[in-house]
Amino acid sequence: MVEQQISGRDVIAGIFRRWHLLVLAPVAGAIGFYLAAQMLPKLYTSEVLFKLDEAQGKMAESLLRSNTLIDQAVAVAYAGQPGVNLPSKRRELNRRMRWIVSRSYDRTASGIFQLEVDAESPERAQKLAGILVDKWFEFNKPQDTQRREILWRIEQTEAMLANVNELIERLKKESADALIGAFRNEVASPIQDLYQRQTALRFDLRSLKVILEGASRDVVISRPTLPGLPSWPDAMLTALLGGVGTFILVLFYTIASLVLRGSTSAAQQRDASVSTTRS
């Protein structure tokens, strides 16, 4: 059989005889891929970190990817530049923007979210990221109709809180002056309920005021970065992968050529043996 004429030892020996090809070809391939990567258009990535809970993170991503916000961001970024195709720039920005969960979190705690924006220059990437963040804060502020409703709810909550505070003070005074002994415990329970109601109203009031003012800039824990190195293409990684790929191809070609040559040689020997037998 042909397979019996080709041993693994012969293949390994043939590979070692061609060591210079297996060394030089990957080096040449890595250099070629590195030079090609240097000539490709470069992209730079600006990053912004947010501290939000799960619900806020989902809402932020939805708002950042909304056509209305992106249209306004593109209009600001390319203002005064004639001939700019705004719909094309909108699609490009949507494609080059990523919203990433940088750190795990549970449903009750805040997590770290990362906004990444790619552009052809570090300055452009930083500018686009900054405009998106500013527009996000602007869109988080309530509209006029919502604002009037929130102001009315704040007024009602403040009135209820004032009534609760007055009741607490009255019950505390009555408990201290008249209701003593066995009656003190009967008054303590309503006061505790009122304290819980007071805490809840204060929380609601604080939340409404936050909504009225829009998202606090404290949620942004890092301003848009100015990238120093391109994020794509990574010339060193491209060179490494190119060198490894070239090595695998050359190794496969070497093994295939050795096996094919061994098969051809074995077939020729078999034909020669048959001819000698017949003669």
Side-chain angles (χ1 to χ4, degrees):
M1 297 293 294
V2 173
E3 288 77 9
Q4 295 176 343
Q5 303 295 327
I6 306 169
S7 66
R9 183 177 300 176
D10 294 335
V11 173
I12 293 174
I15 291 173
F16 274 103
R17 286 197 300 271
R18 292 165 177 77
W19 66 268
H20 55 284
L21 182 63
L22 293 171
V23 172
L24 295 178
V27 171
I31 294 174
F33 275 92
Y34 180 83
L35 294 176
Q38 291 292 338
M39 291 185 290
L40 290 173
K42 295 178 175 57
L43 286 179
Y44 296 83
T45 302
S46 180
E47 301 172 352
V48 189
L49 295 180
F50 295 78
K51 188 175 183 181
L52 304 167
D53 60 29
E54 181 184 18
Q56 291 173 329
K58 291 180 179 179
M59 291 177 60
E61 181 180 14
S62 177
L63 184 57
L64 284 167
R65 291 200 176 278
S66 65
N67 290 337
T68 306
L69 187 148
I70 292 179
D71 282 345
Q72 292 193 18
V74 168
V76 172
Y78 296 95
Q81 299 183 24
V84 175
N85 187 338
L86 293 182
S88 174
K89 291 297 182 182
R90 183 187 72 188
R91 292 190 295 270
E92 180 181 275
L93 179 57
N94 201 7
R95 188 176 64 252
R96 292 182 175 181
M97 178 176 60
R98 293 175 298 280
W99 183 255
I100 302 170
V101 181
S102 296
R103 192 184 69 193
S104 60
Y105 58 91
D106 56 39
R107 295 180 180 273
T108 59
S110 296
I112 304 301
F113 292 82
Q114 182 169 298
L115 173 65
E116 296 182 350
V117 182
D118 298 333
E120 293 79 5
S121 69
E123 295 77 13
R124 170 70 64 181
Q126 186 184 44
K127 180 180 179 180
L128 286 172
I131 292 173
L132 284 171
V133 172
D134 290 339
K135 287 296 177 183
W136 180 73
F137 280 117
E138 182 180 322
F139 274 60
N140 265 291
K141 293 181 179 179
Q143 303 299 319
D144 290 339
T145 54
Q146 295 175 323
R147 186 178 181 85
R148 286 194 294 269
E149 181 183 352
I150 293 170
L151 286 171
W152 178 82
R153 291 173 60 186
I154 288 176
E155 183 179 347
Q156 295 297 313
T157 304
E158 287 177 339
M160 288 188 289
L161 182 59
N163 290 334
V164 170
N165 291 338
E166 184 179 350
L167 284 173
I168 290 175
E169 291 300 322
R170 184 186 305 172
L171 286 176
K172 286 169 63 177
K173 185 179 297 184
E174 291 177 357
S175 175
D177 295 343
L179 302 177
I180 58 174
F183 296 97
R184 187 183 298 274
N185 293 331
E186 297 180 8
V187 177
S189 180
I191 290 180
Q192 290 176 357
D193 294 338
L194 287 171
Y195 274 132
Q196 293 177 358
R197 180 61 175 161
Q198 182 188 56
T199 302
L201 287 171
R202 285 175 175 173
F203 178 81
D204 292 342
L205 184 62
R206 185 167 58 251
S207 299
L208 287 169
K209 289 182 177 180
V210 168
I211 295 173
L212 183 65
E213 296 172 359
S216 170
R217 289 191 174 268
D218 293 339
V219 301
V220 178
I221 58 180
S222 75
R223 294 295 297 168
T225 59
L226 180 65
L229 297 175
S231 56
W232 189 92
D234 189 331
M236 295 303 297
L237 179 60
T238 302
L240 177 62
L241 295 177
V244 173
T246 304
F247 175 80
I248 293 173
L249 288 176
V250 172
L251 180 62
F252 177 79
Y253 170 78
T254 302
I255 294 174
S257 63
L258 289 171
V259 171
L260 182 61
R261 184 175 301 176
S263 299
T264 303
S265 177
Q268 290 175 350
Q269 291 179 6
R270 185 175 62 251
D271 293 341
S273 177
V274 170
S275 300
T276 303
T277 303
R278 289 178 177 177
S279 61

